[in-house]
């Protein structure tokens, strides 16, 4: 089956059927070629309902998780978004299709380079900046962010990220120290932080 056909089936069966409702998110997931981000040995399973290894003990998230996290950010296209944990760059590419500008931080230099290369190769690099560093500190240079997406699990939302979240902004982050975490959707409104559990999830730890 052609990649485009596999991608369309992924959107229908894994995303729409499971309750992803944001049409812009569904369109972005139908647009970004995940096979260009998945390392060669796993390419054939690019549209499987699973995460895949990307080297250095890290993984590219399951498509459903990327879509759910993107939906939690309620993006309209005007936002500046911060991602923590660029990995192979796939999630950043999806966010780049949904927002005005994306800053993504990756602590492993080789993965930051891979993300940069994958984003260039797929023509997605124009509004996405990959930075190598510690994402738990955020990136104050471009703050505040209307959306913050954290792709690694923490004991709680790092204070620097809460600080850099815009008034009215949304953050999505896996919280918990164990094997499984809760995916928390956080909102800053009137200077107050509220949060709800969007689902259970399994992420690599934030270092
Ligand atoms: N969004 C990625 C998946 C990332 S997996 C994708 O689409 O492929 C989580 C990533 O977070 C890993 O690459 C890991 O190296 C990175 N990471 C963990 N702690 C970090 C930190 N403190 N700062 C930046 N990146 C971090």
């Amino acid at each position: 089956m052609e990649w485009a056909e596999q991608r369309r089936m992924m959107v229908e069966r894994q995303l729409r059927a499971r309750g992803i409702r944001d049409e812009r998110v569904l369109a972005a997931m139908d647009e970004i070629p995940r096979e260009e981000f998945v390392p060669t040995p796993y390419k054939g399973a690019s549209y499987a309902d699973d995460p895949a290894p990307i080297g250095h003990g890290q993984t590219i998230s399951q498509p459903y998780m990327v879509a759910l996290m993107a939906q939690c950010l309620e993006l309209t296209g005007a936002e500046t978004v911060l991602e923590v944990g660029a990995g192979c760059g796939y999630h950043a590419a999806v966010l780049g299709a949904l927002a005005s500008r994306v800053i993504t931080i990756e602590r492993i230099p080789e993965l930051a380079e891979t993300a940069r290369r994958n984003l260039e190769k797929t023509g997605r690099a124009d509004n996405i900046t990959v930075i190598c560093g510690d994402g738990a500190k955020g990136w104050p240079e471009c703050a505040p962010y209307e959306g913050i997406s954290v792709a690694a699990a923490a004991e709680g939302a790092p204070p620097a990220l809460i600080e850099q979240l815009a008034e009215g902004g949304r953050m999505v982050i896996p919280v918990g120290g164990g094997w499984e975490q809760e995916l928390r959707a956080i909102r800053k409104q009137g200077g107050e932080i509220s949060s709800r559990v969007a689902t259970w999830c399994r992420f690599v730890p934030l270092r």
Side-chain angles (χ1 to χ4, degrees), residues 60-160:
I60 174 175
S61 303
Q62 173 197 28
Y64 174 74
M65 193 52 63
V66 173
L68 181 64
M69 290 175 78
Q71 178 168 269
C72 286
L73 296 183
E74 299 171 24
L75 301 171
T76 65
E79 299 82 2
T80 300
V81 172
L82 176 71
E83 184 192 32
V84 176
C88 68
Y90 172 73
H91 198 154
V94 171
L95 293 172
L98 294 168
S100 163
R101 181 154 189 232
V102 176
I103 310 291
T104 182
I105 311 186
E106 172 55 54
R107 64 178 258 278
I108 301 175
E110 292 85 351
L111 284 178
E113 199 41 56
T114 299
R116 253 181 228 123
R117 207 174 337 105
N118 287 340
L119 291 165
E120 289 283 350
K121 172 178 80 172
T122 52
R124 294 282 154 184
D126 286 358
N127 67 339
I128 305 174
T129 306
V130 182
I131 289 159
C132 187
D134 179 9
K137 300 191 181 114
W139 189 253
E141 284 85 338
C142 298
Y145 301 96
E146 287 81 28
I148 299 182
S149 182
V150 184
E155 291 287 355

Side-chain angles (χ1 to χ4, degrees), residues 51 57 59 152-155 174-183 200-205 207:
T59 55
E155 291 287 355
V175 173
W179 177 240
E180 281 198 313
Q181 306 98 30
E182 23 183 73
L183 184 71
W200 287 87
C201 55
R202 201 168 285 173
F203 277 84
V204 297
R207 301 290 181 189

